[in-house]
Amino acid sequence: MSQHDLVVIGAGPGGYVAAIRAAQLGMNVACIEREGALGGTCLRVGCIPSKALLEASELYRMAQSHLAEFGVGVDGVKLDLATMMQRKDTIVGQLTKGVEGLFRKNKVTRYTGHGRILAANTVQVDGPQPIALTTKNILIATGSISSPLKGVEVDGNLIGTSTEALSYPQVPGHLVVIGAGVIGLELGCVWARLGSKVTVLEYLNRILPGMDNELAAEAQRTLQKQGLEFRLGMRVTGARVQDGRCVVECDGQPPLDCDRVLLAVGRLPNTSDLGLDRLNVARNQRGFIVVDQHFQTSIPGIYAIGDAVPGPMLAHKAEEEGIACVEGIAGKYGHVNYDAIPGVVYTDPEIASVGKTEEQLKDAKIPYRKGTFPFMANGRAKALGKTEGRVKILAHAETDRILGVHIIGARAGDLIAEAAAAIEFGASSEDIARTSHAHPTLAEVIKEAAFAVDGRAIHI
């Protein structure tokens, strides 16, 4: 039996970051991970590999269709899918080994296997070398799994989740994506750029549920121009493999025949076989672990963060919670401002949001002013050939404090950082408007949108 100050179950972004920070604070830390590679779903089969494929597929599309506009002639462009996949795997391998190095540097003890909580101070590791760990504190950071859908027969091959869609051996002739959320759209875009016919089925009458309505509608129009077909208001009742083909059934519609199906209808907390039921750890109706403001569960000494608890299922949210949690355990002050957690969709153009949407402000009857500015009027965007989209800033009508920022356009995922910092520090739209932004840069679109809140945009 081994003794630790903190045992972290799960080595995803929340878990490994929490483990490292706890070690920096002087704790004796162990981290349990059942996969051979560290980094969790995000690093191994999520955020990182999908972005590698998004970047590669966008370069392929550029070479095929857009480089001539820049005076760059390219003949005989061809797809080498095997090399594209190898590059993705190499990036993932480098980063997982990087986490291993960080564990060694910070003296975090790694255990391979499945962690089960036996008591508030004991965790059993079931793996190649089973061992019971005693600890003062336990942190659950086990992430999430893909949500199933009744009637959809996932076989891990022709009908699969995002994991399979990151490694198709050939470009599907026709890919049906069930779900028009972030994962479905990103991976749908990858395969559409590489030559697939992509049909997206969504139960709601809009794409990107939860994001700003205005930006979601603009994103749909843009992605349709790129070749994605959207069928909204579709209730999928079944999907199965039949004679080597996939058949997808929707209520009131003729069956769809396709080569592959990607099921992307959301994610669920990965909390099975952790020992939570035996210990009566409180969970809500959707299975998320209930925690207090210090991320402690209903059992003193047991904490939970990330996708295992309520809130946006985002890697950076898990990281912030992990750091705040262990700093609290160490007697310091840890806090997460959930109004300043950005979300990004890495399509082209990218879509990024932080803070409240217009719909949320209207529902809460909060008075606001809105400023928007298009990328079309920005010099850097024109030079890049990326003029689609806009920035929208929502500020309180009385105090001018920034309440939400929503961007669809080139490199929105990078630009949103300024907006997140502004919200974190309680900035006003006037603060951004009076901050010097380098010229020519895309960031000037944010400055102009801040001017527009007060009706005084300069370049339009």
Side-chain angles (χ1 to χ4, degrees):
M1 184 171 286
S2 187
Q3 173 70 46
H4 298 279
D5 296 319
L6 172 68
V7 170
V8 180
I9 305 176
Y16 84 71
V17 167
I20 291 170
R21 181 63 184 133
Q24 290 175 346
L25 291 166
M27 298 184 207
N28 181 327
V29 184
C31 186
I32 304 168
E33 172 57 57
R34 65 186 179 189
E35 299 291 339
L38 300 175
T41 295
C42 176
L43 203 162
R44 295 183 303 103
V45 288
C47 317
I48 300 302
S50 65
K51 302 314 165 283
L53 290 182
L54 280 159
E55 188 67 24
S57 62
E58 178 58 17
L59 289 173
Y60 177 66
R61 187 180 73 152
M62 284 286 292
Q64 275 191 316
S65 309
H66 300 294
L67 287 184
E69 300 170 11
F70 292 81
V72 180
V74 181
D75 296 323
V77 176
K78 63 179 182 179
L79 172 65
D80 184 347
L81 185 60
T83 298
M84 189 179 290
M85 291 295 176
Q86 181 58 52
R87 176 181 180 271
K88 171 206 67 172
D89 294 341
T90 298
I91 292 169
V92 170
Q94 290 170 340
L95 291 173
T96 57
K97 286 181 174 59
V99 177
E100 290 178 16
L102 291 172
F103 272 12
R104 288 192 297 270
K105 176 183 176 182
N106 291 279
K107 297 180 172 56
V108 174
T109 305
R110 188 261 170 98
Y111 294 93
T112 301
H114 178 81
R116 282 186 300 110
I117 303 171
L118 303 182
N121 64 349
T122 309
V123 180
Q124 174 70 32
V125 181
D126 296 325
Q129 296 178 316
I131 187 172
L133 310 178
T134 59
T135 181
K136 297 176 184 177
N137 301 283
I138 298 169
L139 175 57
I140 300 168
T142 47
S144 60
I145 57 175
S146 295
S147 298
L149 185 63
K150 184 178 179 181
V152 176
E153 301 173 12
V154 174
D155 67 352
N157 180 20
L158 297 183
I159 300 178
T161 65
S162 56
T163 299
E164 289 75 31
L166 288 167
S167 300
Y168 292 156
Q170 296 93 25
V171 177
H174 184 192
L175 172 65
V176 168
V177 178
I178 303 175
V182 176
I183 295 171
L185 294 188
E186 288 186 354
L187 290 174
C189 283
V190 166
W191 293 107
R193 293 168 188 170
L194 299 181
S196 289
K197 174 186 176 183
V198 176
T199 302
V200 182
L201 307 177
E202 170 56 48
Y203 178 73
L204 301 176
N205 62 359
R206 55 161 294 172
I207 70 171
L208 296 171
M211 294 199 82
D212 183 88
N213 282 354
E214 191 176 8
L215 265 66
E218 185 165 347
Q220 182 181 336
R221 291 191 295 270
T222 300
L223 295 178
Q224 283 173 170
K225 291 177 185 176
Q226 295 175 11
L228 273 70
E229 177 192 5
F230 291 96
R231 300 189 186 183
L232 306 181
M234 293 285 122
R235 188 173 75 88
V236 175
T237 57
R240 65 186 185 279
V241 177
Q242 183 174 305
D243 299 325
R245 301 283 295 171
C246 299
V247 178
V248 182
E249 297 171 335
C250 296
D251 194 20
Q253 301 292 323
L256 267 173
D257 174 85
C258 62
D259 297 276
R260 288 186 180 272
V261 174
L262 164 57
L263 179 64
V265 292
R267 298 183 67 82
L268 297 172
N270 180 24
T271 55
S272 62
D273 197 26
L274 286 178
L276 303 184
D277 291 333
R278 188 170 54 80
L279 294 173
N280 292 319
V281 175
R283 283 177 282 179
N284 66 18
Q285 292 182 335
R286 297 187 60 201
F288 292 96
I289 298 172
V290 177
V291 293
D292 64 15
Q293 61 181 340
H294 303 295
F295 306 100
Q296 185 166 251
T297 69
S298 56
I299 306 298
I302 300 179
Y303 302 81
I305 61 167
D307 288 3
V309 304
M313 291 176 141
L314 299 167
H316 46 284
K317 175 256 198 186
E319 292 180 8
E320 297 299 328
E321 290 179 335
I323 290 173
C325 177
V326 299
E327 287 184 345
I329 292 172
K332 298 181 179 294
Y333 176 75
H335 172 69
V336 179
N337 179 2
Y338 290 98
D339 284 330
I341 302 291
V344 183
V345 188
Y346 295 88
T347 51
D348 182 39
E350 291 181 350
I351 309 157
S353 295
V354 65
K356 303 299 185 184
T357 66
E358 268 199 87
E359 293 71 41
Q360 289 171 328
L361 295 178
K362 288 175 181 176
D363 289 344
K365 295 181 171 52
I366 296 173
Y368 67 93
R369 295 186 299 166
K370 175 171 71 172
T372 65
F373 194 82
F375 280 80
M376 180 65 76
N378 175 265
R380 178 66 170 157
K382 284 189 176 294
L384 289 170
K386 301 278 189 179
T387 56
E388 294 177 303
R390 74 187 82 173
V391 171
K392 175 162 77 172
I393 294 180
L394 306 172
H396 197 287
E398 297 164 2
T399 67
D400 195 38
R401 186 168 183 166
I402 296 172
L403 303 174
V405 179
H406 309 280
I407 307 172
I408 177 170
R411 301 173 188 172
D414 297 314
L415 295 174
I416 202 67
E418 176 182 1
I423 290 177
E424 183 66 46
F425 285 94
S428 65
S429 71
E430 180 77 4
D431 291 329
I432 289 182
R434 290 190 177 276
T435 299
S436 180
H437 290 63
H439 174 77
T441 62
L442 297 174
E444 291 176 285
V445 183
I446 296 180
K447 179 182 177 77
E448 289 276 10
F451 272 131
V453 170
D454 196 37
R456 53 194 176 101
I458 302 298
H459 290 94
I460 196 169

